Amino acid sequence: MGAAVRNGLLGIGVALASAGAALAQGTVGVPHPGQMNLSEPATPVMERLVALHTGLLWIITVITLFVLALMVYVMVKFRASANPVPSQTTHHTLLEVAWTVLPIFILIGIAIPSFRLLYFMDRTFEAGMTVKVVAHQWYWTYEYHDLKTAKNEVVSFDSYMLKKDDWAKLPDADKRTRPWLLAVDNELVVPVDTNVRVLVASTDVMHSWAVPAFGVKQDAIIGRTNETWFKATKEGVFYGQCSQICGKDHAYMPIAVRVVSKAEFEKWSAARKTAGFAAPAPAIEIAAVAPR
């Protein structure tokens, strides 16, 4: 067996072992090398976004092939050698009506599911919990307004990207599920199969809280609170990043959301209530949810 073959098999083995280790710890929502499609859905919103995207791709493909077939037909049938005397036709009422009416029906067919999806992903009216996300240059603050400490303070903590020296100290198994430039010191922890209302605001410049696997991207604007929501249906760790250029360290504002079972979340929340993580100062004053 040649060295190249052995190295190839070894590489495949390492990759399978890494994948197995990652799967053993739940889904890890990160981009993959060579990824061609959208992120794997982890929420009903993302499932519908992927379905709409796939449907539109088929519609566009059919239209493109139809137009291509028409062009080929015209180029062959009406080529100069076969038509030494070109037609002088300038109008065709039926065709003009058809190429006006058909696109209208196509656009209406696209608009109806698009608007339904927009309203579905806008906000939840049955929130199981509420998390306030406050953006700063260049980190996030998470406030659990449904969780209070013994001092009646909101459970709150900051989330920074792990420094490279700290990340290097992680065990290899953790490095596979907590990639460099995405791993944070404090992850947002939420229970699975729970509607999570997310209120997003900023204290300095414009940011954007985005997690692709959830189909969530909400701008954080100073003096305004925007609302979005998600319902994670898979346990695991899902990553995102600030998606609005916000300054020199914009690229170092990762987002990590750990989705756990409801029993694990109860244990986690009980520990946070006891141990603290509470904001030492009053929560940042944020304007009421903007009317829409």
Side-chain angles (χ1 to χ4, degrees):
M1 181 181 295
V5 175
R6 286 197 301 272
N7 292 337
L9 293 175
L10 179 61
I12 293 173
V14 171
L16 291 175
S18 300
L23 289 174
Q25 299 184 40
T27 301
V28 181
V30 294
H32 301 287
Q35 181 177 335
M36 294 292 292
N37 210 332
L38 301 175
S39 298
E40 183 178 350
T43 65
V45 168
M46 190 59 187
E47 290 174 357
R48 297 191 185 195
L49 285 171
V50 171
L52 179 63
H53 169 267
T54 304
L56 291 179
L57 182 62
W58 280 110
I59 292 173
I60 293 171
T61 301
V62 170
I63 292 174
T64 302
L65 292 177
F66 176 69
V67 173
L68 176 63
L70 283 179
M71 292 179 65
V72 172
Y73 173 79
V74 169
M75 286 188 290
V76 173
K77 182 174 178 58
F78 300 103
R79 65 189 187 278
S81 59
N83 298 273
V85 181
S87 170
Q88 300 299 312
T89 303
T90 58
H91 298 286
H92 192 295
T93 304
L94 181 60
L95 278 179
E96 292 179 0
V97 171
W99 69 46
T100 301
V101 173
L102 285 178
I104 292 176
F105 280 111
I106 293 173
L107 291 176
I108 292 175
I110 294 174
I112 291 175
S114 298
F115 283 117
R116 283 179 177 172
L117 180 55
L118 280 175
Y119 281 107
F120 177 71
M121 63 192 299
D122 182 47
R123 62 180 61 186
T124 176
F125 295 97
E126 298 177 350
M129 61 179 294
T130 299
V131 175
K132 184 180 290 181
V133 179
V134 184
H136 315 270
Q137 288 179 316
W138 288 270
Y139 64 98
W140 305 94
T141 296
Y142 297 116
E143 300 176 0
Y144 291 74
H145 283 253
D146 300 316
L147 304 180
K148 301 289 181 63
T149 67
K151 298 180 180 178
N152 200 33
E153 294 176 325
V154 173
V155 171
S156 171
F157 54 85
D158 297 331
S159 180
Y160 288 86
M161 188 187 79
L162 271 187
K163 295 180 180 177
K164 192 165 188 178
D165 291 342
D166 296 330
W167 181 83
K169 297 175 184 174
L170 293 175
D172 289 342
D174 283 355
K175 288 179 180 176
R176 285 191 286 269
T177 57
R178 303 178 67 190
W180 167 235
L181 296 178
L182 289 177
V184 301
D185 55 356
N186 293 312
E187 299 165 338
L188 174 65
V189 180
V190 297
V192 71
D193 292 328
T194 301
N195 289 351
V196 180
R197 176 191 290 125
V198 183
L199 305 178
V200 185
S202 173
T203 59
D204 37 51
V205 299
M206 187 173 175
H207 303 268
S208 187
W209 197 80
V211 181
F214 291 173
V216 169
K217 179 183 179 299
Q218 186 58 268
D219 289 341
I221 302 172
I222 188 169
R224 177 189 176 103
T225 300
N226 289 327
E227 180 178 343
T228 185
W229 74 286
F230 65 84
K231 179 183 179 181
T233 55
K234 300 177 182 176
E235 295 182 26
V237 185
F238 301 89
Y239 291 98
Q241 291 176 299
C242 178
S243 295
Q244 179 68 41
I245 295 177
C246 55
K248 68 179 182 65
D249 286 340
H250 158 70
Y252 307 110
M253 287 185 66
I255 298 162
V257 182
R258 183 173 293 275
V259 182
V260 298
S261 66
K262 294 182 179 180
E264 291 179 4
F265 181 77
E266 288 299 323
K267 294 179 182 177
W268 179 88
S269 59
R272 296 289 77 77
K273 291 176 184 176
T274 303
F277 268 156
I284 298 169
E285 293 296 332
I286 298 175
V289 176
R292 304 186 180 183

